[in-house]
Structures are given as structure tokens and as C-alpha cells.
Amino acid sequence: MRWKGVSAMLTDRLRKVKSLMEEGGYESLFISPGPNQRYLTGLHYDYPGDAWDTIITWDMITAEIIPLDGDPVLVVPRICENWVRETSEIDDIRCYSGAENRKAILKDLLGNVRGTLGTEDHLPFKIYEQLAAALPQIKIKNASDMLSHARLVKSEEEIESMRKAAGIVEKGVKVGREFIRESITEKEISIEVERAMRRHGAESISYCVVQTGAKTASWDPPSENRVKKGDLFLMDLSATYNGYHADITRPTVVGAPSEKQKKVHGVVLDAQLKAIDAVRDGVKAGVVNDAARRVIDERGYGKYFPFGIGHGLGLEAHEMPHLTEYRDMEMVLQPGMVMTIEPTINLPGEFGIRIEDDILVTVGGRESLTTLGKELVQI
């Protein structure tokens, strides 16, 4: 089936989601602004800061309704109609101009549903309560994991966007290294790095974590800390192209690295290479995590490896598969999945080193979407 006005790519996505809905017993989905709505409509929002909160309030929400049997519908505030019609691939758009009008539209679309309505875990609780009150006959269930599974395997178009995002983030790392010098602050460097990524085509900046000295053993926002000679300097950067993320981390030393810095960097690099070598289709995510942890444990740094080996990438900076001991370890890798491989050793009060690359699972192996060197660069 091909829905009216919908591209072949979006048709495939909707078909995949409807198949998962049938398996999971969902009669309809209520998709709010976020990665799933972009995936299933083409709509996206690039609002700064707290402006994001405005578009997921009950008074202004743009929601996609996907029935198991029937065509998808967008319910939008009248003030957003022109933008939605220009941006979305969904043909059926219902506009509301007030609470009663919106309630009537939702009852028209969902009033006959007697089964389960799927929502997402980022839907504000206030909206959940009001949705439940407006539609008391419906059982509401969190469909986030189901929707994440639908987005697990990336198409060639998605992978190409992630390659471009990786190139943008690599330029950010290079510019950051150009600006590193004694006495400059973390904030000053982060400003230049963000500008560089925007200038080279970043649609949005997910995070720009720039740290120096002992702060590299944590994950804190950039501060007024000043770079000192001998400091370990860490950049953990994530930006998007066409909605798709890259996430790259590289360490740098200001001046000559100490023997301890070189030793820890060598352990982290060996762990990352072992983990990357373990990535291939048909392998469980836990095998990749264990490959890195084994290296770090054998070298005596196990208690300084604070979390898992990585996470999935896509329309979210952190998504399935989560390569950690507490989640997704049994998930079998498939061609088209993209994930970070980022072993870390954090020595509290001293420094932390992480090397992070974005890895695509291919048939029989893997491909790195990042090309930046892994050496401990000296400035």
C-alpha cells in the first residue's frame, strides 16, 4: 500500500510500524513531537532552549495519529498549519483552534478505539492525564521501545546523513584543537567549536562537552576552567545533519603527555580496537561490550571503566542498542545498525580518557563512519 502524498521511504516506515503495532496489540498510536514524529511525518523542530517545551504543551501540541487500519493523520494547532503543510509528507491534516475543537477532533479520530493506544515515554504526564480523561475507553500504553525497534536498522539515506554528520563533528574537533592554548577557558573553546559545526552544516548541536584537567574524569558542561600546561583536554561532540547524529570524542594534551597519560591512552585505544573488531552482524551486543571490558580489566583499570562501551545512534544521540551491562546485551546486531564504541578510563582527581567513534554494522563486518585519527594529539 502507498499512502497519498507519501514517499516510498515513509511508506516503508509506516508499513514497518503497523506490522509492529499488530504484533504488540496496538489499535492506534499517538505520536508527539520528537524523533518518532520526524521519522513518521518528516516534521522537525529546531527551536532553541526552552522553546521546545512550548510545542508539547496540551494547548499547542502537534500529534500524529496512526491507526492500525487506516491512514495517518496530523492534528495541529491552526497557527502552525502552513508550516506543517509545507514540511510534512502526511496528507490528512486536521487543524484546531481551541481546547474544545481539539477534543472534538481527537474524539472523531479515536472515539471508536476500544483497545490500546500507544504513546511515548517523553510525553508529559499532564498531557497523558488529559488524553486519558478525554478518551476514557482507551487503554494507554508506552510504545517507545516498539518505535525504537522500528528505527534500529538504518537505510542508505539515513547512513549517508550520519556520514555527513560525522564529517561536521570531526571539523569541530579540529577547530577545537586549533584554539586550545594555555589560559583559554573551556567555554571559550566550546563557543568556537559550536560555531564551526554550525558553519559546516550542522542542523543542531546535541552537546559540546569540552573539559580540561581533572574535569575530564567526569561529564560536565564547559566552565570557566582555564587550560594549563600538561592538562589532558577532552572534547565529546554531537551534532546532526538532516536530523541524524554523529557522536565523537577525542583527547588532546597541552604540552608533552605524561607517561601515565600515554599508558592510559594506550589501554583505551586497545580496548576500542578490540570492541570494534567484535562488531559484526549476528553477534550479540554483549560480546562487543565484553571485548573492551576484558582489555581494561586485564590491564588493571576495571574499576575506572564507569559505564558500557557505547550506544546506538540515529535520530537520537543515544538510542538502541545500548551497549551496557544493564540493557540490550542480548540484542543481536544487524546490518544497518549504527552505534558508538567509546571505552573510557576515568581516574578521579587526575584525568579521564575516552576515544569514541561511530560504527556501522555491515554484512560480515563493520564500517567506521568516522575517519579522525585516534592518536593522543599534543598541542
Side-chain angles (χ1 to χ4, degrees):
M1 178 181 180
R2 179 78 170 268
W3 284 275
K4 182 181 177 183
V6 173
S7 66
M9 181 174 68
L10 187 52
T11 295
D12 288 342
R13 292 175 177 181
L14 287 166
R15 188 181 293 118
K16 187 192 315 183
V17 166
K18 282 175 175 276
S19 176
L20 291 171
M21 287 172 65
E22 189 168 18
E23 290 177 18
Y26 294 95
E27 194 171 340
S28 193
L29 296 178
F30 182 95
I31 308 295
S32 52
N36 293 316
Q37 193 177 101
R38 181 165 189 169
Y39 186 73
L40 294 166
T41 67
L43 280 177
H44 66 94
Y45 311 81
D46 191 17
Y47 294 136
D50 293 338
W52 172 260
D53 297 336
T54 305
I55 60 172
I56 53 173
T57 62
W58 185 239
D59 292 332
M60 285 287 289
I61 193 165
T62 295
E64 181 183 21
I65 309 297
I66 304 178
L68 180 60
D69 299 311
D71 296 341
V73 179
L74 272 169
V75 180
V76 306
R78 179 71 63 185
I79 195 172
C80 297
E81 179 181 5
N82 290 341
W83 168 73
V84 170
R85 290 193 185 280
E86 290 172 1
T87 308
S88 173
E89 292 190 47
I90 303 301
D91 186 65
D92 191 348
I93 297 172
R94 316 282 179 92
C95 299
Y96 63 85
S97 52
E100 289 305 312
N101 183 213
R102 181 190 59 245
K103 187 175 180 180
I105 291 172
L106 288 174
K107 280 198 170 183
D108 179 52
L109 292 171
L110 298 170
N112 293 325
V113 175
R114 292 294 181 270
T116 300
L117 174 69
T119 60
E120 301 155 280
D121 51 19
H122 67 260
L123 186 73
F125 185 68
K126 183 177 181 180
I127 296 180
Y128 166 85
E129 285 186 312
Q130 292 169 324
L131 193 60
L135 303 161
Q137 83 284 4
I138 290 177
K139 176 185 176 183
I140 299 177
K141 182 180 174 183
N142 190 345
S144 291
D145 280 354
M146 181 199 76
L147 291 162
S148 293
H149 275 279
R151 302 191 341 250
L152 263 175
V153 175
K154 274 61 178 180
S155 67
E156 283 300 324
E157 292 90 343
E158 291 172 298
I159 292 166
E160 185 57 30
S161 291
M162 296 176 79
R163 282 197 185 95
K164 290 180 178 177
I168 290 166
V169 175
E170 288 183 356
K171 287 183 172 66
V173 173
K174 291 174 182 176
V175 167
R177 283 172 168 168
E178 290 171 3
F179 274 87
I180 296 172
R181 61 183 183 275
E182 287 185 65
S183 297
I184 194 170
T185 68
E186 294 170 351
K187 280 187 176 180
E188 288 171 327
I189 296 173
S190 71
I191 288 169
E192 298 301 331
V193 170
E194 287 200 29
R195 282 177 179 164
M197 291 193 289
R198 287 283 191 182
R199 191 167 59 247
H200 285 96
E203 179 183 281
S204 64
I205 309 296
S206 299
Y207 41 83
C208 181
V209 179
V210 174
Q211 300 165 308
T212 188
K215 276 188 65 183
T216 56
S218 59
W219 203 79
D220 301 332
S223 71
E224 298 294 341
N225 277 10
R226 294 188 180 276
V227 175
K228 299 188 296 294
K229 189 173 182 179
D231 272 355
L232 197 293
F233 189 89
L234 202 66
M235 285 180 281
D236 186 350
L237 312 179
S238 179
T240 67
Y241 180 87
N242 197 29
Y244 286 86
H245 288 79
D247 188 1
I248 301 171
T249 304
R250 286 295 186 272
T252 306
V253 175
V254 183
S258 68
E259 290 304 312
K260 192 169 189 178
Q261 288 169 342
K262 289 191 286 186
K263 179 181 179 182
V264 172
H265 176 268
V267 175
V268 171
L269 179 56
D270 287 349
Q272 196 211 31
L273 294 175
K274 285 288 187 183
I276 291 173
D277 190 55
V279 173
R280 58 177 54 83
D281 61 309
V283 167
K284 289 183 179 180
V287 172
V288 180
N289 186 71
D290 292 346
R293 183 162 291 283
R294 192 175 303 113
V295 172
I296 293 174
D297 285 345
E298 288 174 355
R299 305 283 185 89
Y301 289 97
K303 68 179 180 179
Y304 302 111
F305 183 11
F307 39 73
I309 191 64
H311 53 82
L313 274 177
L315 285 171
E316 294 179 274
H318 287 235
E319 61 180 46
M320 288 183 179
H322 301 277
L323 280 72
T324 66
E325 281 86 352
Y326 58 87
R327 191 171 178 188
D328 296 342
M329 288 293 93
E330 295 299 311
M331 183 177 288
V332 176
L333 303 185
Q334 304 172 55
M337 289 183 177
V338 180
M339 65 202 70
T340 68
I341 302 295
E342 49 177 306
T344 302
I345 293 176
N346 287 339
L347 304 178
E350 296 184 66
F351 61 86
I353 289 182
R354 179 165 61 259
I355 303 171
E356 178 179 21
D357 288 295
D358 304 342
I359 306 299
L360 166 68
V361 183
T362 62
V363 176
R366 85 292 304 164
E367 174 193 341
S368 179
L369 302 182
T370 45
T371 61
L372 205 59
K374 304 172 192 284
E375 68 277 7
L376 185 56
V377 171
Q378 178 180 338
I379 301 297

